Amino acid sequence: MPVISAERMQGRIDAIVEAASAVFAAKGYEAASIAEIARRAEVSDGLIYRYFSNKRDLLYRVLEAFYERVVAALEKEVAKDAGFEERLHALVRRHLGNFVADRELCRLFLSEVRVASDYKGSTIQTLNRRYASVLTGLIEAGIAAGEVKTDASARLIRDVIFGAIEHIAWPYVNGDGKLDVEATAQSVTALICGGICLPQQKNPEEAPRT
């Protein structure tokens, strides 16, 4: 058997993961088949099994790629030079936007993976914790900057925000109704900041002239 280059091997893997993502999104995990994924990736069934143990392994690789992408985007969003409220709004909007842009992958994660026995200790759980830590880090930075109350619990606020958003988005993820990302992001941000944000002193130089 001829030896293939590392680049070509990675290209095959990427093509399989991309095809699997499309098939899982279109048909769901149970209805998706390795044969259909292979046809979409233009490879043989056997080649898929050279790189992935089974369909479950492939699902995890799809969601790992998804999480790596959304974590990087969220970290970039929050790294912008802005005040706490503006950065929180950007984070909430980005998180809600994930449900719209990748509705089926979000549904697969919530219904197929997070509740499964093999989720604990998995790479996806590690990535999920990294994703959540972006929000706790933002809250801790807000406390340090004097923009958020010192007695605010970063972990509790994180759970409130992500829990509320998941509850709001779940009907949409299941194909029921619409999700207004901007309006919801504004409402959630206003609600949270109304409870934890400290009033900020205005710069005298910015005061309106009389």
Side-chain angles (χ1 to χ4, degrees), residues 147-205:
E147 296 179 86
V148 175
K149 295 176 181 178
T150 56
D151 61 351
S153 168
R155 294 184 65 181
L156 177 59
I157 297 164
R158 173 203 65 192
D159 291 346
V160 168
I161 291 174
F162 284 149
I165 290 174
E166 183 177 320
H167 180 76
I168 292 167
W170 183 243
Y172 170 79
V173 169
N174 278 307
D176 182 16
K178 297 180 179 180
L179 180 60
D180 189 328
V181 170
E182 185 56 39
T184 304
Q186 290 179 359
S187 296
V188 171
T189 303
L191 179 65
I192 296 299
C193 284
I196 69 171
C197 288
L198 292 168
Q200 299 299 299
Q201 292 183 346
K202 292 184 178 180
N203 188 333
E205 296 179 356

Side-chain angles (χ1 to χ4, degrees), residues 50-63:
R50 282 188 59 187
Y51 301 118
F52 303 96
S53 302
N54 47 42
K55 189 170 74 169
R56 190 75 177 177
D57 182 29
L58 188 48
L59 172 64
Y60 269 65
R61 290 291 292 274
V62 166
L63 290 175

Side-chain angles (χ1 to χ4, degrees), residues 7 9 15 29 34 38 45 51 56 58 60 76 81 103 107 135 138 141 152 157 161 182 185-186 196:
E7 291 80 6
M9 181 182 298
Y29 175 72
I34 292 293
D45 296 16
Y51 301 118
R56 190 75 177 177
L58 188 48
Y60 269 65
K76 183 178 180 180
D81 184 16
R103 178 167 65 177
R107 184 183 60 77
L135 176 52
L138 173 59
I157 297 164
I161 291 174
E182 185 56 39
Q186 290 179 359
I196 69 171

Side-chain angles (χ1 to χ4, degrees), residues 20-172:
S21 179
V23 174
F24 286 143
K27 294 200 166 183
Y29 175 72
E30 292 298 333
S33 69
I34 292 293
E36 184 171 1
I37 293 168
R39 285 195 300 272
R40 190 177 184 96
E42 298 182 347
V43 299
S44 66
D45 296 16
L47 186 64
I48 290 182
Y49 287 111
R50 282 188 59 187
Y51 301 118
F52 303 96
S53 302
N54 47 42
K55 189 170 74 169
R56 190 75 177 177
D57 182 29
L58 188 48
L59 172 64
Y60 269 65
R61 290 291 292 274
V62 166
L63 290 175
E64 285 170 19
F66 163 70
Y67 251 109
E68 287 167 358
R69 172 168 53 84
V70 298
V71 167
L74 195 69
E75 290 174 337
K76 183 178 180 180
E77 195 77 57
V78 174
K80 294 178 179 178
D81 184 16
F84 173 78
E85 184 170 355
E86 184 178 340
R87 293 166 71 197
L88 178 63
H89 176 262
L91 182 149
V92 171
R93 183 177 56 202
R94 172 71 66 172
H95 184 58
L96 283 160
N98 290 334
F99 287 99
V100 175
D102 294 283
R103 178 167 65 177
E104 294 303 326
L105 292 181
C106 289
R107 184 183 60 77
L108 284 170
F109 170 71
L110 294 174
S111 63
E112 293 283 350
V113 175
R114 194 176 62 179
V115 297
S117 60
D118 56 357
Y119 173 68
K120 188 175 181 180
S122 67
T123 302
I124 296 179
Q125 185 186 41
T126 300
L127 288 166
N128 187 38
R129 286 174 173 172
R130 179 180 159 193
Y131 186 91
S133 72
V134 177
L135 176 52
T136 55
L138 173 59
I139 296 164
E140 289 165 355
I143 294 172
E147 296 179 86
V148 175
K149 295 176 181 178
T150 56
D151 61 351
S153 168
R155 294 184 65 181
L156 177 59
I157 297 164
R158 173 203 65 192
D159 291 346
V160 168
I161 291 174
F162 284 149
I165 290 174
E166 183 177 320
H167 180 76
I168 292 167
W170 183 243
Y172 170 79

